[in-house]
Amino acid sequence: MTLPSNTTRRTLLKQGAALAFARNATPVAASLVAMANAAAQTATDYKALVCLFLYGANDHYNTVLPYDLTNYNAYYAIRKGTTVTGPYEGIALTRASLASTALNAPLSGGRQMALNPQMTGMKTLFDAGRAGIVMNVGPLIVPTTRTQYENKSVPLPPKLFSHNDQQAYWQSSFQTEGGASGWGGRAADLLLSGNNASALTCISVNGNALYLSGQQAISYQMSTTGATTVNAIKGKSLFGSSACATTLQTLMTQSGTHLLANAHSQITQRALNTYDTVANAIGASASTALSNLFPSSGTNTLSAQLKMVARLIEKQATLGLRRQVFMVGMGGFDLHDFLPDQHPALLQKLSTASLEFDDAMRYLGTSLQVSSFTASDFGRTLSSNGDGSDHGWGSHHFVMGGAVQGGQYFGQAPEIGITHNAQVGSGRLLPSTSTDQMGAELAQWFGVSKTDMPAVLPNATNFDLYKLGLFKV
């Protein structure tokens, strides 16, 4: 068979696999074919996307709060309780506690919002125009009304309110737990050819991350102290013997005839080589100047992760990188109980780490080239369960960086209540902005063309895209 000049055997195999898969999963197949046909794109500048994932489902109602009197009173009436914990009455923050973090940016109808009192760092970024808030964003397959949700007359994201599945859906944009690729990795696939050290295109400093997995791009995992390796090999001593260390390396990297064994050897050798590349580039520790920009990194795990991201960004020119996608995160947000006790400290760490990272990017001169955003499993209920909140759907999220059209809200601010049509029970928000709409603007800024967007975000074609205006023109 003669192939057309613009078709490779690899492309044909990808199409064949996608079409075979289509027999059982037609909606997914189109996106796989799109990725197979998407043209590699080139970049001459440097850009990085950084995802800050809040595992457990952040309570957005106590992160970005109504502050105008009418809407605050509606919030307070639902969340108030008799137990007083600092500025909390039940799980409602007092309005007085929000005065220092009230935001001046206007919303329609005279509405005003405030940040959690612990988020002074995020308020600094918002006021400086380097952070914005995406209102009521969450996974959707098509635009959905409450009636359609209740009647199940449109396709809905599968396994709503399930932690693992919705974490995966956020990160993949169309697959639940067990998904094969994430939209960050698929975006990286399109721009991978511009990187000399391609193994360092997608980096997680928070363990395994579906978001970073592409078809060609792989997720490289690091710790907050540096690249991970086989200590016996790089330490050149196993049980005190250099000969044993050499033998171990030979056993782990030698090629063979067995397919799986050979793949294991190649992956091991790539990991060892990548370790050398990273270690030589960033050194054993951050410079004093960069370390000083992350004063909370000793006790704040998110700060420590972002410090490592900053170290890698500092050396992107040395490593020959033009596009990178990073994943960091923190857990503890599944607060069915102890919300007033535990949530403030989590938000303080998020806020402080975000401000420190912004300071570091400005110090490195890369503020316009690095954009970060928060994501989480889902939002929470507005109704209290006594000492916490339960699983929700839509949520408010932050986008940050010098290129962000900061100091404003994006999307539609939801009504505060538990009976209106923008919620599906107990104040669980029905998203008015899809994760695909948010992701499309992030991916476009990163360098993904509108033509190739369906390869990155398969459901994106179902929505009106590029209307949020997250980035400066």
Side-chain angles (χ1 to χ4, degrees):
M1 179 178 66
T2 302
L3 299 179
S5 59
N6 63 342
T7 303
T8 66
R9 183 173 182 273
R10 177 176 292 180
T11 298
L12 187 65
L13 289 172
K14 287 180 183 176
Q15 290 177 339
L19 293 173
F21 188 62
R23 299 188 186 101
N24 297 315
T26 300
V28 177
S31 67
L32 296 177
V33 173
M35 178 56 77
N37 289 333
Q41 297 166 33
T42 58
T44 57
D45 57 351
Y46 176 79
K47 284 186 178 180
L49 275 176
V50 185
C51 177
L52 285 65
F53 208 93
L54 312 179
Y55 290 94
N58 179 44
D59 189 297
H60 62 285
Y61 281 114
N62 275 7
T63 302
V64 182
L65 300 91
Y67 188 66
D68 63 280
L69 199 56
T70 298
N71 286 284
Y72 173 81
N73 285 342
Y75 154 89
Y76 177 77
I78 295 168
R79 286 207 150 189
K80 69 179 179 179
T82 57
T83 302
V84 176
T85 308
Y88 290 85
E89 296 177 10
I91 64 167
L93 280 154
T94 64
R95 190 168 185 271
S97 71
L98 304 176
S100 63
T101 49
L103 302 175
N104 293 323
L107 275 169
S108 60
R111 295 186 64 176
Q112 188 179 7
M113 308 298 287
L115 297 179
N116 187 283
Q118 295 298 317
M119 302 192 77
T120 55
M122 191 65 75
K123 182 180 182 333
T124 296
L125 292 178
F126 188 92
D127 290 346
R130 297 197 300 278
I133 301 170
V134 185
M135 307 295 286
N136 190 17
V137 57
L140 291 169
I141 296 177
V142 297
T144 302
T145 66
R146 180 174 176 177
T147 299
Q148 290 170 328
Y149 166 81
E150 291 175 342
N151 294 336
K152 296 182 173 57
S153 57
V154 296
L156 298 172
K159 301 182 181 179
L160 283 170
F161 319 126
S162 161
H163 284 294
N164 292 348
D165 292 295
Q166 292 310 301
Q167 287 171 11
Y169 210 88
W170 251 100
Q171 294 181 39
S172 74
S173 87
F174 71 103
Q175 293 174 303
T176 53
E177 186 177 22
S181 67
W183 69 265
R186 295 193 296 270
D189 279 337
L190 297 172
L191 294 138
L192 193 66
S193 60
N195 288 344
N196 290 340
S198 60
L200 296 176
T201 301
C202 296
I203 298 178
S204 172
V205 197
N206 189 239
N208 188 42
L210 174 62
Y211 170 68
L212 298 177
S213 297
Q215 289 192 331
Q216 285 80 43
I218 59 172
S219 174
Y220 183 73
Q221 296 181 40
M222 296 180 60
S223 72
T224 56
T225 57
T228 304
T229 189
V230 180
N231 291 329
I233 293 176
K234 289 305 176 183
K236 301 187 184 305
S237 177
L238 178 60
F239 300 117
S241 169
S242 59
C244 286
T246 301
T247 301
L248 176 62
Q249 181 168 359
T250 300
L251 289 171
M252 293 181 67
T253 59
Q254 64 186 358
S255 59
T257 57
H258 193 283
L259 181 63
L260 292 178
N262 204 41
H264 179 270
S265 297
Q266 292 174 357
I267 292 170
T268 301
Q269 187 61 64
R270 182 177 64 202
L272 294 171
N273 292 341
T274 303
Y275 170 83
D276 290 335
T277 300
V278 173
N280 290 334
I282 67 173
S285 61
S287 66
T288 300
L290 196 60
S291 291
N292 288 342
L293 295 173
F294 291 91
S296 75
S297 60
T299 56
N300 183 339
T301 58
L302 186 61
S303 172
Q305 292 172 51
L306 288 171
K307 180 180 176 180
M308 178 52 67
V309 172
R311 290 173 64 186
L312 291 161
I313 290 174
E314 182 181 30
K315 299 299 181 181
Q316 47 85 15
T318 301
L319 293 166
L321 298 167
R322 291 178 175 171
R323 287 294 184 273
Q324 286 185 285
V325 188
F326 295 95
M327 182 81 161
V328 298
M330 57 189 297
F333 287 91
D334 191 21
L335 294 172
H336 296 275
D337 301 292
F338 310 114
L339 180 70
D341 295 303
Q342 298 179 15
H343 195 229
L346 293 171
L347 294 183
Q348 191 274 334
K349 289 180 179 179
L350 168 64
S351 175
T352 299
S354 298
L355 181 59
E356 290 174 350
F357 185 67
D358 181 78
D359 287 342
M361 293 304 98
R362 291 192 293 139
Y363 166 75
L364 295 176
T366 56
S367 180
L368 292 172
Q369 299 163 280
V370 179
S371 295
S372 57
F373 63 98
T374 62
S376 192
D377 318 19
F378 35 71
R380 310 293 294 197
T381 57
L382 176 57
S383 295
S384 169
N385 63 15
D387 195 31
S389 56
D390 296 320
H391 297 181
W393 190 354
S395 184
H396 308 321
H397 284 287
F398 299 97
V399 286
M400 298 160 281
V404 170
Q405 195 79 270
Q408 61 181 286
Y409 310 96
F410 306 102
Q412 181 179 345
E415 184 179 343
I416 301 297
I418 57 175
T419 59
H420 59 83
N421 286 330
Q423 58 85 49
V424 294
S426 299
R428 294 180 176 90
L429 292 180
L430 174 60
S432 53
T433 295
S434 76
T435 52
D436 295 84
Q437 289 172 296
M438 178 177 169
E441 296 200 16
L442 291 163
Q444 183 187 40
W445 172 84
F446 189 65
V448 176
S449 70
K450 292 182 179 180
T451 301
D452 286 335
M453 198 60 69
V456 175
L457 296 158
N459 292 324
T461 54
N462 298 333
F463 298 94
D464 191 9
L465 301 181
Y466 315 114
K467 302 297 184 181
L468 291 172
L470 300 184
F471 293 96
K472 301 170 184 174
V473 178

